[in-house]
């Protein structure tokens, strides 16, 4: 079946679309934990650079964060970006391996040993509460910050916002910067309400 475009040679058929699905590379498997960890760090660094690219604008100075749960790690350490490194400059060898308390693991961390404590408290709480979530990302975009001041949920009026339908929450209280584990857990688990009303 060819779409009626007038030029059948440039149209894709349903069969050819199915054929292109075979071009998607399979998820790699690893027999060596170090090789797997190198793969993770490479992809996390790439994700940071995509966030920091001028096309998407997901960076705002040095604000925002991404973490990846370390593979085959019994302590569930997570890979972090060192503080004060811009997203566009992230390389795998700069990443830190950090435990849930915020202790940097010397053996597998980059040379810049400075950690964004607030980001670690929030992201470690996410990974503890949801160990099935292997990667977590948040950003401080200009649009996101402006919209958050309205204190309303996204209306399901287009394809992008429909992705979040009945799957988002608003913070009911803000206690300031997250500087300990309790506050991190409160942000992730305890201070969320779906029926939040913005104060008048």
């Amino acid at each position: 079946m060819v779409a009626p475009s007038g030029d059948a040679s440039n149209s894709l058929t349903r069969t050819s679309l199915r054929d292109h699905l075979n071009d998607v590379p399979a998820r790699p498997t690893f027999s060596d934990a170090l090789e797997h960890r190198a793969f993770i760090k490479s992809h996390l660094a790439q994700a940071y650079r995509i966030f920091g690219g001028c096309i998407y604008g997901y960076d705002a100075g040095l604000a925002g964060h991404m973490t990846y749960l370390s593979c085959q790690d019994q302590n569930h350490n997570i890979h972090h970006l060192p503080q004060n490194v811009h997203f566009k400059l992230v390389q795998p060898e700069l990443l830190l391996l950090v435990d849930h308390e915020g202790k940097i693991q010397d053996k597998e961390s980059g040379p810049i040993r400075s950690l964004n404590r607030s980001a670690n408290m929030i992201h470690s709480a996410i990974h503890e509460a949801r160990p099935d979530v292997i990667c977590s990302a948040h950003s401080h975009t200009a649009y996101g910050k402006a919209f958050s001041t309205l204190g309303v949920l996204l209306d399901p009026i287009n394809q992008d916002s429909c992705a979040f339908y009945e799957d988002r929450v608003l913070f009911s209280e803000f206690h300031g910067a997250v500087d300990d584990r309790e506050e991190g857990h409160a942000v992730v688990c305890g201070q969320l309400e779906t029926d939040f009303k913005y104060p008048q």
Side-chain angles (χ1 to χ4, degrees):
M1 179 176 142
V2 177
S5 66
D7 182 4
S9 63
N10 290 330
S11 300
L12 290 174
T13 64
R14 289 184 184 194
T15 305
S16 68
L17 286 174
R18 263 188 241 114
D19 291 342
H20 284 290
L21 292 177
N22 296 330
D23 296 338
V24 177
R27 189 173 184 172
T29 57
F30 302 92
S31 57
D32 178 53
L34 292 177
E35 184 184 0
H36 189 185
R37 191 165 288 167
F39 176 83
I40 286 171
K41 289 172 72 173
S42 171
H43 280 70
L44 182 58
Q46 289 172 14
Y48 267 114
R49 293 195 303 271
I50 290 170
F51 258 44
C54 58
I55 296 173
Y56 298 107
Y58 292 158
D59 61 325
L62 298 168
H65 210 72
M66 270 187 254
T67 52
Y68 201 108
L69 192 63
S70 180
C71 62
Q72 300 167 349
D73 187 332
Q74 294 178 348
N75 298 319
H76 300 291
N77 293 328
I78 47 183
H79 294 283
H80 272 278
L81 173 70
Q83 194 168 359
N84 299 326
V85 174
H86 195 279
F87 288 4
K88 294 177 186 175
L89 304 176
V90 178
Q91 296 295 324
E93 58 271 12
L94 291 178
L95 295 171
L96 303 174
L97 188 64
V98 180
D99 69 13
H100 287 290
E101 300 293 335
K103 184 176 183 217
I104 297 170
Q105 308 301 298
D106 288 332
K107 216 174 193 183
E108 296 192 52
S109 294
I112 303 170
R113 301 298 174 93
S114 175
L115 178 67
N116 180 330
R117 184 167 172 77
S118 291
N120 182 61
M121 292 298 105
I122 295 169
H123 282 244
S124 66
I126 291 169
H127 290 296
E128 280 185 284
R130 293 285 306 273
D132 56 315
V133 175
I134 58 171
C135 186
S136 175
H138 83 266
S139 65
H140 298 252
T141 66
Y143 297 120
K145 288 189 289 187
F147 186 82
S148 71
T149 64
L150 302 175
V152 297
L153 296 174
L154 292 168
D155 289 323
I157 57 174
N158 62 31
Q159 184 174 342
D160 301 319
S161 59
C162 281
F164 300 99
Y165 181 68
E166 293 187 347
D167 190 23
R168 68 263 197 244
V169 291
L170 292 170
F171 290 102
S172 61
E173 294 181 33
F174 177 67
H175 299 283
V178 180
D179 60 0
D180 59 31
R181 284 172 62 83
E182 283 183 29
E183 189 65 20
H185 283 279
V187 168
V188 173
C189 304
Q191 298 294 327
L192 301 174
E193 295 179 3
T194 54
D195 59 350
F196 172 74
K197 299 286 187 243
Y198 195 75
Q200 297 299 318

